[in-house]
Amino acid sequence: MDIREGTAADTERIAALHTRSWRTAYAEIFPADYLDGPVEAQQAAMWHERLVNGAKGELLVADDGTAIAGFAYLIPEDGRVLLDNLHVDPRLKRSGIGGVLLRHALDRAAGQELYLEVLKENRPAVAFYERHGGTRAREFVERFPEGFEVDVLEYYWSGMRSDTVPRRSSQAS
């Protein structure tokens, strides 16, 4: 698995993977009419803005040479780096790709605090971030313009290097 920088040529495949990931991971969290409706167009527009129009941020792509297996998107902020997305193809969950992407994100943060927001009800993701050394910072409610809200947790890694992140013992992450 190669981790490379994403380009504008990845826009459609990243948006499609992001949509599949949300429809799988958030099926019991987000309203079905949202996941079956506007989410696909919203992801396409967001990734077009980021990758084609050049919004600030960096896309890391896990690529096996034939398909995109996962991705992470980093947005530099004032003294911190937001890991805005970390998604793995739903068919490849628990394969170690997420851990590899997280370690690459920590390296790209270059000693700055890396943080992310995760849905509280997304228990597999919460467990993943805790297993990989994330520290819970706060909890808040995010309201979506479509009329629903979800509880969100913030996790951070303060100045950690990738070689200090716990690895799964049964496989290389």
Side-chain angles (χ1 to χ4, degrees):
M1 184 70 51
D2 182 40
I3 305 297
R4 63 172 174 81
E5 289 191 28
T7 68
D10 296 314
T11 301
E12 289 181 19
R13 294 184 304 160
I14 292 294
L17 174 54
H18 199 174
T19 299
R20 276 195 317 278
S21 180
W22 272 35
R23 286 179 173 160
T24 302
Y26 303 159
E28 303 298 320
I29 301 170
F30 286 166
D33 61 338
Y34 174 67
L35 290 174
D36 294 336
V39 74
E40 185 172 5
Q42 288 172 347
Q43 300 297 8
M46 179 182 72
W47 288 108
H48 186 271
E49 175 64 25
R50 287 178 170 180
L51 300 177
V52 175
N53 294 345
K56 101 176 159 175
E58 179 181 12
L59 176 65
L60 303 175
V61 176
D63 191 331
D64 69 4
T66 60
I68 292 176
F71 67 91
Y73 191 74
L74 303 166
I75 301 173
E77 296 181 341
D78 295 330
R80 306 173 24 151
V81 177
L82 171 62
L83 177 53
D84 189 48
N85 296 108
L86 193 158
H87 291 273
V88 173
D89 185 311
R91 298 166 297 193
L92 300 172
K93 294 277 182 153
R94 302 198 57 80
S95 66
I97 295 167
V100 170
L101 285 165
L102 179 58
R103 284 191 295 283
H104 276 268
L106 285 164
D107 287 342
R108 295 294 173 104
Q112 296 180 69
E113 180 178 280
L114 179 75
Y115 80 101
L116 58 81
E117 297 168 353
V118 61
L119 301 182
K120 183 177 182 179
E121 290 184 55
N122 187 355
R123 287 176 182 80
V126 168
F128 170 82
Y129 295 125
E130 290 179 355
R131 261 192 330 271
H132 285 83
T135 301
R136 188 180 297 184
R138 66 185 179 113
E139 183 173 339
F140 61 95
V141 174
E142 182 172 345
R143 290 172 179 77
F144 281 72
E146 292 78 13
F148 64 94
E149 56 187 44
V150 292
D151 293 326
V152 177
L153 302 173
E154 180 182 301
Y155 281 86
Y156 71 93
W157 292 259
S158 187
M160 289 180 70
R161 298 181 328 268
S162 65
D163 60 353
T164 64
V165 175
R167 294 178 186 258
R168 291 173 36 185
S169 58
S170 61
Q171 309 179 334
S173 293

PDB file of all heavy atoms in Angstrom, residues 62-78:
ATOM      1  N   ALA A  62      -4.256   6.466   0.432  1.00  0.00           N
ATOM      2  CA  ALA A  62      -3.763   5.080   0.500  1.00  0.00           C
ATOM      3  C   ALA A  62      -4.193   4.417  -0.800  1.00  0.00           C
ATOM      4  O   ALA A  62      -5.379   4.246  -1.061  1.00  0.00           O
ATOM      5  CB  ALA A  62      -4.354   4.356   1.705  1.00  0.00           C
ATOM      6  N   ASP A  63      -3.201   4.071  -1.621  1.00  0.00           N
ATOM      7  CA  ASP A  63      -3.449   3.598  -2.976  1.00  0.00           C
ATOM      8  C   ASP A  63      -2.732   2.268  -3.169  1.00  0.00           C
ATOM      9  O   ASP A  63      -1.535   2.175  -2.924  1.00  0.00           O
ATOM     10  CB  ASP A  63      -2.909   4.656  -3.956  1.00  0.00           C
ATOM     11  CG  ASP A  63      -3.332   4.433  -5.389  1.00  0.00           C
ATOM     12  OD1 ASP A  63      -3.556   3.280  -5.784  1.00  0.00           O
ATOM     13  OD2 ASP A  63      -3.408   5.433  -6.120  1.00  0.00           O
ATOM     14  N   ASP A  64      -3.473   1.254  -3.605  1.00  0.00           N
ATOM     15  CA  ASP A  64      -2.840  -0.055  -3.826  1.00  0.00           C
ATOM     16  C   ASP A  64      -2.429  -0.260  -5.280  1.00  0.00           C
ATOM     17  O   ASP A  64      -2.064  -1.361  -5.681  1.00  0.00           O
ATOM     18  CB  ASP A  64      -3.745  -1.193  -3.353  1.00  0.00           C
ATOM     19  CG  ASP A  64      -4.992  -1.371  -4.206  1.00  0.00           C
ATOM     20  OD1 ASP A  64      -5.137  -0.671  -5.228  1.00  0.00           O
ATOM     21  OD2 ASP A  64      -5.820  -2.217  -3.837  1.00  0.00           O
ATOM     22  N   GLY A  65      -2.496   0.803  -6.072  1.00  0.00           N
ATOM     23  CA  GLY A  65      -2.126   0.716  -7.476  1.00  0.00           C
ATOM     24  C   GLY A  65      -3.306   0.514  -8.407  1.00  0.00           C
ATOM     25  O   GLY A  65      -3.220   0.804  -9.591  1.00  0.00           O
ATOM     26  N   THR A  66      -4.403   0.009  -7.863  1.00  0.00           N
ATOM     27  CA  THR A  66      -5.601  -0.175  -8.684  1.00  0.00           C
ATOM     28  C   THR A  66      -6.795   0.599  -8.147  1.00  0.00           C
ATOM     29  O   THR A  66      -7.710   0.906  -8.898  1.00  0.00           O
ATOM     30  CB  THR A  66      -5.992  -1.670  -8.775  1.00  0.00           C
ATOM     31  OG1 THR A  66      -6.255  -2.154  -7.459  1.00  0.00           O
ATOM     32  CG2 THR A  66      -4.881  -2.483  -9.421  1.00  0.00           C
ATOM     33  N   ALA A  67      -6.782   0.892  -6.853  1.00  0.00           N
ATOM     34  CA  ALA A  67      -7.920   1.578  -6.240  1.00  0.00           C
ATOM     35  C   ALA A  67      -7.458   2.378  -5.031  1.00  0.00           C
ATOM     36  O   ALA A  67      -6.407   2.113  -4.456  1.00  0.00           O
ATOM     37  CB  ALA A  67      -8.979   0.570  -5.803  1.00  0.00           C
ATOM     38  N   ILE A  68      -8.269   3.352  -4.660  1.00  0.00           N
ATOM     39  CA  ILE A  68      -8.022   4.109  -3.433  1.00  0.00           C
ATOM     40  C   ILE A  68      -8.646   3.335  -2.285  1.00  0.00           C
ATOM     41  O   ILE A  68      -9.844   3.061  -2.285  1.00  0.00           O
ATOM     42  CB  ILE A  68      -8.604   5.530  -3.546  1.00  0.00           C
ATOM     43  CG1 ILE A  68      -7.812   6.321  -4.599  1.00  0.00           C
ATOM     44  CG2 ILE A  68      -8.574   6.230  -2.196  1.00  0.00           C
ATOM     45  CD1 ILE A  68      -8.360   7.703  -4.859  1.00  0.00           C
ATOM     46  N   ALA A  69      -7.806   2.968  -1.319  1.00  0.00           N
ATOM     47  CA  ALA A  69      -8.255   2.179  -0.180  1.00  0.00           C
ATOM     48  C   ALA A  69      -8.664   3.052   0.998  1.00  0.00           C
ATOM     49  O   ALA A  69      -9.422   2.611   1.867  1.00  0.00           O
ATOM     50  CB  ALA A  69      -7.153   1.224   0.249  1.00  0.00           C
ATOM     51  N   GLY A  70      -8.163   4.278   1.049  1.00  0.00           N
ATOM     52  CA  GLY A  70      -8.483   5.176   2.146  1.00  0.00           C
ATOM     53  C   GLY A  70      -7.834   6.519   1.909  1.00  0.00           C
ATOM     54  O   GLY A  70      -7.036   6.690   0.987  1.00  0.00           O
ATOM     55  N   PHE A  71      -8.183   7.475   2.772  1.00  0.00           N
ATOM     56  CA  PHE A  71      -7.600   8.805   2.646  1.00  0.00           C
ATOM     57  C   PHE A  71      -7.699   9.544   3.966  1.00  0.00           C
ATOM     58  O   PHE A  71      -8.495   9.197   4.842  1.00  0.00           O
ATOM     59  CB  PHE A  71      -8.280   9.611   1.532  1.00  0.00           C
ATOM     60  CG  PHE A  71      -9.714   9.964   1.810  1.00  0.00           C
ATOM     61  CD1 PHE A  71     -10.053  11.154   2.444  1.00  0.00           C
ATOM     62  CD2 PHE A  71     -10.737   9.107   1.437  1.00  0.00           C
ATOM     63  CE1 PHE A  71     -11.376  11.475   2.701  1.00  0.00           C
ATOM     64  CE2 PHE A  71     -12.060   9.421   1.678  1.00  0.00           C
ATOM     65  CZ  PHE A  71     -12.378  10.607   2.316  1.00  0.00           C
ATOM     66  N   ALA A  72      -6.867  10.560   4.085  1.00  0.00           N
ATOM     67  CA  ALA A  72      -6.895  11.483   5.219  1.00  0.00           C
ATOM     68  C   ALA A  72      -6.707  12.880   4.659  1.00  0.00           C
ATOM     69  O   ALA A  72      -5.953  13.068   3.690  1.00  0.00           O
ATOM     70  CB  ALA A  72      -5.794  11.153   6.215  1.00  0.00           C
ATOM     71  N   TYR A  73      -7.388  13.850   5.249  1.00  0.00           N
ATOM     72  CA  TYR A  73      -7.267  15.235   4.792  1.00  0.00           C
ATOM     73  C   TYR A  73      -6.878  16.099   5.982  1.00  0.00           C
ATOM     74  O   TYR A  73      -7.543  16.083   7.020  1.00  0.00           O
ATOM     75  CB  TYR A  73      -8.584  15.724   4.187  1.00  0.00           C
ATOM     76  CG  TYR A  73      -8.445  17.042   3.467  1.00  0.00           C
ATOM     77  CD1 TYR A  73      -7.808  17.107   2.228  1.00  0.00           C
ATOM     78  CD2 TYR A  73      -8.938  18.213   4.017  1.00  0.00           C
ATOM     79  CE1 TYR A  73      -7.667  18.317   1.559  1.00  0.00           C
ATOM     80  CE2 TYR A  73      -8.813  19.422   3.348  1.00  0.00           C
ATOM     81  CZ  TYR A  73      -8.174  19.465   2.119  1.00  0.00           C
ATOM     82  OH  TYR A  73      -8.037  20.664   1.459  1.00  0.00           O
ATOM     83  N   LEU A  74      -5.795  16.846   5.817  1.00  0.00           N
ATOM     84  CA  LEU A  74      -5.236  17.681   6.881  1.00  0.00           C
ATOM     85  C   LEU A  74      -5.405  19.151   6.543  1.00  0.00           C
ATOM     86  O   LEU A  74      -5.102  19.572   5.423  1.00  0.00           O
ATOM     87  CB  LEU A  74      -3.749  17.379   7.043  1.00  0.00           C
ATOM     88  CG  LEU A  74      -3.412  15.925   7.326  1.00  0.00           C
ATOM     89  CD1 LEU A  74      -1.929  15.686   7.138  1.00  0.00           C
ATOM     90  CD2 LEU A  74      -3.836  15.551   8.717  1.00  0.00           C
ATOM     91  N   ILE A  75      -5.848  19.918   7.523  1.00  0.00           N
ATOM     92  CA  ILE A  75      -6.004  21.358   7.346  1.00  0.00           C
ATOM     93  C   ILE A  75      -5.172  22.062   8.417  1.00  0.00           C
ATOM     94  O   ILE A  75      -5.463  21.941   9.611  1.00  0.00           O
ATOM     95  CB  ILE A  75      -7.480  21.784   7.477  1.00  0.00           C
ATOM     96  CG1 ILE A  75      -8.342  21.061   6.440  1.00  0.00           C
ATOM     97  CG2 ILE A  75      -7.612  23.304   7.345  1.00  0.00           C
ATOM     98  CD1 ILE A  75      -9.831  21.297   6.600  1.00  0.00           C
ATOM     99  N   PRO A  76      -4.135  22.794   8.000  1.00  0.00           N
ATOM    100  CA  PRO A  76      -3.337  23.531   8.985  1.00  0.00           C
ATOM    101  C   PRO A  76      -4.134  24.700   9.545  1.00  0.00           C
ATOM    102  O   PRO A  76      -4.868  25.375   8.818  1.00  0.00           O
ATOM    103  CB  PRO A  76      -2.132  24.016   8.174  1.00  0.00           C
ATOM    104  CG  PRO A  76      -2.579  24.019   6.762  1.00  0.00           C
ATOM    105  CD  PRO A  76      -3.660  22.979   6.635  1.00  0.00           C
ATOM    106  N   GLU A  77      -3.992  24.888  10.840  1.00  0.00           N
ATOM    107  CA  GLU A  77      -4.664  26.001  11.513  1.00  0.00           C
ATOM    108  C   GLU A  77      -3.609  26.723  12.348  1.00  0.00           C
ATOM    109  O   GLU A  77      -2.434  26.433  12.225  1.00  0.00           O
ATOM    110  CB  GLU A  77      -5.811  25.475  12.380  1.00  0.00           C
ATOM    111  CG  GLU A  77      -6.896  24.807  11.569  1.00  0.00           C
ATOM    112  CD  GLU A  77      -8.046  24.300  12.411  1.00  0.00           C
ATOM    113  OE1 GLU A  77      -7.882  24.131  13.631  1.00  0.00           O
ATOM    114  OE2 GLU A  77      -9.114  24.048  11.835  1.00  0.00           O
ATOM    115  N   ASP A  78      -4.025  27.625  13.185  1.00  0.00           N
ATOM    116  CA  ASP A  78      -3.098  28.367  14.037  1.00  0.00           C
ATOM    117  C   ASP A  78      -2.478  27.454  15.095  1.00  0.00           C
ATOM    118  O   ASP A  78      -3.074  27.214  16.140  1.00  0.00           O
ATOM    119  CB  ASP A  78      -3.813  29.533  14.726  1.00  0.00           C
ATOM    120  CG  ASP A  78      -4.288  30.583  13.738  1.00  0.00           C
ATOM    121  OD1 ASP A  78      -3.633  30.729  12.690  1.00  0.00           O
ATOM    122  OD2 ASP A  78      -5.307  31.241  14.010  1.00  0.00           O
TER     123      ASP A  78
END
